[in-house]
Every structure is written in C-alpha cells, then in structure tokens.
Amino acid sequence: MRWMPLGAAIAPLLFAAISADARPVQDGWTPAWTASMWRAADPDDRVAVENATLRMKVRVGAGGSKVRIRLANDYGQAMRIGAATVRLAGRAPVRVTFDGRGDARLPAGAPLVSDAIAMPVEAFEQLEVSLYLPEKVEIETVHMARGAPTDISAPGDRSGEAFEAVRRSDPRPLLAEVDVLGAKQRPVVVAYGDSITDNVGCANDAVPACRWGDVLGRRIAAAGMPHVVVTQAIGGNRILQGGLGPTALARFDRDVLALPGVSHVVLLEGVNDIGNSGKNRGGVQNPVVTPEDLKAAYRQIVARAHAHGIKVIAATILPYEGASYHTPDGEALRVAINDWMRGSGTFDGVVDLEKAVADPANPKRLAPALQGGDNLHPNGAGETRMGEAIPLALFE
C-alpha cells in the first residue's frame, strides 16, 4: 500500500468543496429590452457630444423589483459617463451607479453594466435612460431608432431634470440592454433579423404595434406564459456578408448566446442576402449567393444555438416582388429556401410568415394593406399580422 502525505489527501477534497461553493448562483435577472449595436462608419451616423446629456426612451417587455442597464462600446473610443439616471413616466428620476460610483469609465470595446437600481417596473412600461457625458466624444456604437430618437440637451448635466432637446439623434448610442429582477430568471425569446424585424421607424407608442416581436411578447404575456421577447435586429443586415452591422452569423454570440435565459430564437433573415446577390452596390461587387450558401449558414446558426440548449424557429422569407432589388433569380432563390425551411427538418419549428402577409391575388407580393409602399417592409398592420401568426405552442 502506498502512503501519501495527509495534505495531499485532503487537498482534492478541499478543492472540490471550494469549487462547489464558487459556482455562480442563478439569479432572477432577465433581459427585458435589448438592441443590436453596429458601427457608425458614416460620420453622419455618429453621435457627437460634449458636456451634454443624452435621453433615450425604451419599452421593457417584463416587470421586476429592480432594473439595471448595460452600455455597449463595441466600436470607437473610451469615454467617461459623468452621471446617469433612469425614470418611469410621471415619477422622479433615480440615480444609477456603477460599482457604487455615480460616474464611470466606459472602456473601448467593452460593455459597462450598472449596479441594481431599486425601482419597480411593470411589463411594457416605458423607461427613460439619461446619460451625462462631460467630455468631447464622437460615439460610434449605435442602433438606429428613428421612431424613438435620442434627445440631446444644452450644455450641462441634465440627467436629473427635465429639459428641452436642442437636437435629436436618430442613431441611439450606447444603450444595449435593460434587465429586470424577478423572483427567478425567465425564459427569453429573441426576435432575430433585419429591418423587417427591427422597423427602425417604429415609435414606442405606435398603434397598431409595428414590430412583430412586440406583438408576440404581448400575446405571450396575455396567455400567462413566463417568456419575455426581446428584439436583436439591424436594418439592412445580412446573414452572410456585407450589409449594415455585423452579419447574422458574426453577431449571433453577442446578440443571442451572451444573453441570459434565452430559450428560443425566431429567425427571420435572408432577404437582403438574396436581394443583393451578385449586385454592385456603391462600387462594391457582392458575390452571388447560392441556396447552398444560405442553407449552410442557417445550419451553423442552429448548431451554435443547440450547443447552448436554445431552440431555433425559422420564419419563411417574406414576398418582395416590386422591391427595388427584386429579380426573377432572387425570387426563385427565396422560394427554394422557403421550401427547404418547411421540409428539411433543420429547425425546431417553422412559422410561415410568407403566407401570413402575402397578397392572395399575387403571392409573390406583400398584400397592399399590409405594407408601407416599398413592397418590402410590412406596415403596422402587417407586423401585427406576423406577430399574431406565430403559434404560442412553439414556446411551451
């Protein structure tokens, strides 16, 4: 029998005990609102401020006893946050701290998560976030929000007071996520896509609702289900290459896998890949996209999601005849991909949104009453129809 020192015998047991105690404890934080950020390569899309306050309004998809915000600075320079507040309509602003301090440094290429803020919020309430930036900065990390523009104040820290905007910015800078604290973490459904999912012109108070993800989120809440729906979409985005922002393949880890509690992704993307296939845009020659290219990309998304226990629901690509980049070859590719989605068994579910918004008289086109006039984007009635066409049983 081989003897070992007493310390050597105890060490593995001690290590096991420490490891068990050091495991992170599951908390009740759930993403209630998110935005997929992109780089403002065009100077006109950057938000330049100095000694001014930014004020942004978002609508959360879940309630809780506390909130916290996440700022993103994926692109551009580091900056100082001089002060921050959050406020619900009709109530006093509440100061936000970061590691116990009222000011913080937002590093380049990294996010900044606030401390928990004791402020009860109800599902679908509108939350106002104010950030005072004391130094001169040109912000490159943005998300387009033309329907809910960012207010920019006159000089000074106005984070704790009402102010009249001296100018407004359609690109919304820095704010990437609002989390809420509940009794336990809730399952999250990510609406993942391009402008059809994002609808950057959508106002917070639009009637009818003009994002299908928002429609779905309210239906889920009305049914008493625990799931929360957030939108991670970028107008002009593509799956494979080019377009606005990181491709759907490139941003999947950041926009889906990094979010806590994601149970499902509803994927509606591909029309921009098809529409731009083989075309020269602004002097840039886009490669020809084949059915095999898109199928392989969809399979990659599914594989990466399944590795994290996340189900992927595919939405068929909407009709777009009459859009500026429609071609017969593109139409044939769209039909081929939709047929493959329905029959391949690749996905955990398929929602036929194509049929939900197609013109019965010409299924290659969006129904006239359900689109905004460009033959590509559904209007509020179309987005509502899409959100209502998704079976809630997919999330049970």
Side-chain angles (χ1 to χ4, degrees), residues 209 212 215 219 353 355-358 360 367 369-370 379-390:
W212 61 263
V215 175
R219 289 180 60 221
L353 293 188
K355 294 181 179 178
V357 294
L370 301 179
N379 58 15
E383 294 277 342
T384 298
R385 179 77 62 84
M386 292 163 66
E388 291 174 344
I390 301 173

Side-chain angles (χ1 to χ4, degrees), residues 193-197 234-240 267-277 279 281 289 294 298 315-321 323-327 330-331 333-334 337-338 341 364 366 375-378:
D194 49 36
S195 58
I196 295 172
T197 298
I234 299 176
N237 200 230
R238 302 185 209 170
I239 298 174
L240 293 166
L267 171 63
L268 175 59
E269 189 149 6
V271 70
N272 289 325
D273 295 82
I274 293 171
N276 288 285
S277 175
K279 291 185 173 64
R281 297 286 189 183
V289 175
L294 281 174
Y298 288 124
T316 51
I317 301 171
L318 307 189
Y320 75 114
E321 185 179 76
S324 61
Y325 59 20
H326 181 271
T327 64
E331 176 64 17
L333 177 54
R334 183 187 73 88
I337 290 299
N338 283 352
M341 283 182 175
K364 296 179 181 180
L366 293 171
N375 297 299
L376 178 64
H377 295 93

Side-chain angles (χ1 to χ4, degrees), residues 306-371:
H306 284 179
H308 291 260
I310 298 169
K311 294 182 178 180
V312 180
I313 311 300
T316 51
I317 301 171
L318 307 189
Y320 75 114
E321 185 179 76
S324 61
Y325 59 20
H326 181 271
T327 64
D329 287 344
E331 176 64 17
L333 177 54
R334 183 187 73 88
V335 170
I337 290 299
N338 283 352
D339 287 345
W340 171 78
M341 283 182 175
R342 297 182 187 105
S344 70
T346 298
F347 304 95
D348 300 287
V350 178
V351 181
D352 218 336
L353 293 188
E354 172 194 21
K355 294 181 179 178
V357 294
D359 183 353
N362 180 4
K364 296 179 181 180
R365 285 180 174 257
L366 293 171
L370 301 179
Q371 60 125 334

Side-chain angles (χ1 to χ4, degrees), residues 139-373:
I139 305 171
E140 297 182 47
T141 303
V142 300
H143 183 92
M144 185 58 70
R146 190 168 56 251
T150 296
D151 290 342
I152 303 176
S153 76
D157 178 4
R158 313 295 176 113
S159 60
E161 63 188 63
F163 66 79
E164 290 293 328
V166 297
R167 60 190 173 99
R168 289 184 169 88
S169 171
D170 287 345
R172 181 177 52 227
L174 305 179
L175 185 63
E177 187 176 331
V178 176
D179 300 332
V180 297
L181 183 66
K184 61 180 181 179
Q185 189 179 80
R186 297 170 62 176
V188 174
V189 178
V190 179
Y192 197 66
D194 49 36
S195 58
I196 295 172
T197 298
D198 197 22
N199 196 356
V200 300
C202 186
N204 286 327
D205 295 317
V207 178
C210 43
R211 288 190 185 93
W212 61 263
D214 295 345
V215 175
L216 176 63
R218 288 179 181 270
R219 289 180 60 221
I220 285 175
M225 298 171 67
H227 302 71
V228 179
V229 179
V230 299
T231 296
Q232 294 283 58
I234 299 176
N237 200 230
R238 302 185 209 170
I239 298 174
L240 293 166
Q241 72 278 313
L244 185 62
T247 66
L249 283 172
R251 64 188 178 91
F252 192 75
D253 286 23
R254 181 196 71 180
D255 289 351
V256 177
L257 302 185
L259 290 179
V262 176
S263 61
H264 296 78
V265 175
V266 183
L267 171 63
L268 175 59
E269 189 149 6
V271 70
N272 289 325
D273 295 82
I274 293 171
N276 288 285
S277 175
K279 291 185 173 64
N280 189 298
R281 297 286 189 183
V284 176
Q285 182 63 42
N286 289 292
V288 173
V289 175
T290 69
E292 289 71 27
D293 293 333
L294 281 174
K295 292 174 187 178
Y298 288 124
R299 284 192 290 262
Q300 277 290 306
I301 288 173
V302 171
R304 288 157 64 186
H306 284 179
H308 291 260
I310 298 169
K311 294 182 178 180
V312 180
I313 311 300
T316 51
I317 301 171
L318 307 189
Y320 75 114
E321 185 179 76
S324 61
Y325 59 20
H326 181 271
T327 64
D329 287 344
E331 176 64 17
L333 177 54
R334 183 187 73 88
V335 170
I337 290 299
N338 283 352
D339 287 345
W340 171 78
M341 283 182 175
R342 297 182 187 105
S344 70
T346 298
F347 304 95
D348 300 287
V350 178
V351 181
D352 218 336
L353 293 188
E354 172 194 21
K355 294 181 179 178
V357 294
D359 183 353
N362 180 4
K364 296 179 181 180
R365 285 180 174 257
L366 293 171
L370 301 179
Q371 60 125 334

Side-chain angles (χ1 to χ4, degrees), residues 30 32 60-67 120-124 180-182 186 228:
T30 298
V60 297
S65 60
K66 297 180 180 181
V67 300
V121 60
E122 299 293 330
F124 310 114
V180 297
L181 183 66
R186 297 170 62 176
V228 179

